[in-house]
Amino acid sequence: MQTGRENWQTRWGFIMATVGSAVGLGNIWRFPTVVGRTGGALFVLIYLIVVLLVGVTAMIAEFTLGRHTRQSPLSAFRTLKPNSSWWAAGALSVAAVVLILSFYSVIAGWSVAYVIRYWTGALSGLDAAGLRAAYEGLTAEPRWTLVLHFLFMSLTALVVSRGITGGIERWTRVLMPSVVVLLLFLLFRVLQLPGSGEGLRWLIAPDFALLNFATVLEATGQVFFSFSLGMGIMITYGSYLFGDDNIPQSAIFIAGADVAIALLAGLTVIPAVFAMGIEPEMGPGLIFVAVPAVFNTLPGGSFFGGAFFLMISFAALTTTLSLLEVGVSVIMDEWGWTRQRATYGAASIIFLLGVPSALSEGAVPLMVLGMTFLDAVDFFASNILLPLGGILTAIFVGWIWERRSVMNELERAGHRFLLAPLWFASLKYVVPLAIIMAIAGRFILG
Ligand code: PHE
């Protein structure tokens, strides 16, 4: 076991970094989209149940594994079960983070471009059609998409190269609260729009006639994506935890914050879309076209539009930090590289992997299985690698790792974990089953 591994400086810093990882495009764009597609308030209700039964359970498992081994995902599994193939579970997560980061940085780059475009007045006054043309113009321009992707990866690498306390913790402590302040500010503005009440009602009053199995599956997928689970991030962040943290309590807080921000984003985006009479449609068009169209109807619209994309850029940055940190910690643990070298090495490879994604959204027709390259990478990483990583981690902590050792770790500083029997049952049965159904459902129900 390594000595000299870094630790979070404060508990609040750890919480901000993990909430920062969880809160991202998944909350601001994907959550409202899924809610829009599956029927509003009913989905929200089911989502909350899945959060408690599956999300919090799996998050506790990842933190425990990380803190106990104080290793990156690849070596965490291997330390506890040497001479087995369990290391492959770690390897899978690493593959998933590398792929997700490669396209996430592309979309994050667009949002930075939108801050600049708004605040220089380039988008002011455009209607939905004009905004759609502007969006397609940006994504079809190879030089810009590549430069923006490069910039976003560089910024991520700059912060990660400074380490846990001096880089990730310091930045997320400022960025995460800024996201919340910006979001509340925008929410307040949107709720003053005529017609926004209808969207609000739609989010709050469940229509049970819409209840079906696919909604439950969709909720499971969304929880894993939104909580950054199944890809070793929470193992890595847990490995920098001090021994006396109350893990279940932290996990509940982090989950609560992530859900709250998703709901706030839903409350901002959906009423805005309703107020404009636009169907809550799929895809990034929702945040790059529909929401800007709403802001453009307001006095000072360019200012609000810029603030919206600044919030998205901040939320995305706190997520890309955690994705890159997984790769960096693996390289440092496995090969003993310095943090600097590991960071710039990993960031360069991921930048290159993202190039086809950056080009595929309009610049060059790069299609895989009928999807754009970016969508295909997203599909493979989010719908296959990520749930697989989640299931293997749950099985490992629930079935393979000795229960006594898990309990010792969880209750290390004398925090009694009274719900432990329930937690174990959920980890052993509910989580794997939910994930298997979610994967199967995706392929059977489409
Ligand atoms: N949780 C992030 C979000 O909501 C996305 C993400 C998924 C990050 C998987 C890491 C791993 O945007």
Side-chain angles (χ1 to χ4, degrees), residues 103-187:
F103 74 83
Y104 205 91
S105 158
V106 171
I107 302 178
W110 298 342
S111 67
V112 174
Y114 265 63
V115 179
I116 302 169
R117 288 172 125 194
Y118 255 122
W119 283 351
T120 56
L123 298 174
S124 58
L126 294 181
D127 61 2
L131 283 160
R132 179 165 296 279
Y135 169 65
E136 284 165 2
L138 173 71
T139 55
E141 176 55 68
R143 259 171 313 169
W144 274 114
T145 50
L146 289 178
V147 166
L148 292 163
H149 170 45
F150 181 79
L151 279 179
F152 210 87
M153 277 310 299
S154 306
L155 186 60
T156 306
L158 192 80
V159 177
V160 170
S161 73
R162 300 273 159 92
I164 297 303
T165 49
I168 298 180
E169 186 169 348
R170 174 179 292 173
W171 280 65
T172 48
R173 284 179 72 142
V174 177
L175 292 175
M176 214 32 241
S178 315
V179 170
V180 175
V181 171
L182 284 166
L183 191 55
L184 288 173
F185 170 71
L186 293 164
L187 173 65

Side-chain angles (χ1 to χ4, degrees), residues 21-27 100 104 225-226 228 231 233 319 323 386:
S21 170
V23 171
L25 297 166
N27 303 61
I100 291 201
Y104 205 91
F225 188 85
S226 190
S228 305
M231 45 198 346
I233 292 183
T319 299
L323 287 161
L386 197 143

Side-chain angles (χ1 to χ4, degrees), residues 269-325:
V269 170
I270 291 181
V273 169
F274 266 80
M276 286 299 289
I278 302 173
E279 282 293 300
E281 56 171 321
M282 260 288 279
L286 187 70
I287 52 173
F288 287 104
V289 178
V291 178
V294 177
F295 288 124
N296 277 359
T297 63
L298 304 174
S302 292
F303 174 72
F304 291 113
F308 179 68
F309 287 101
L310 188 68
M311 172 195 71
I312 294 181
S313 306
F314 283 178
L317 181 59
T318 55
T319 299
T320 55
L321 296 179
S322 70
L323 287 161
L324 185 58
E325 178 60 26

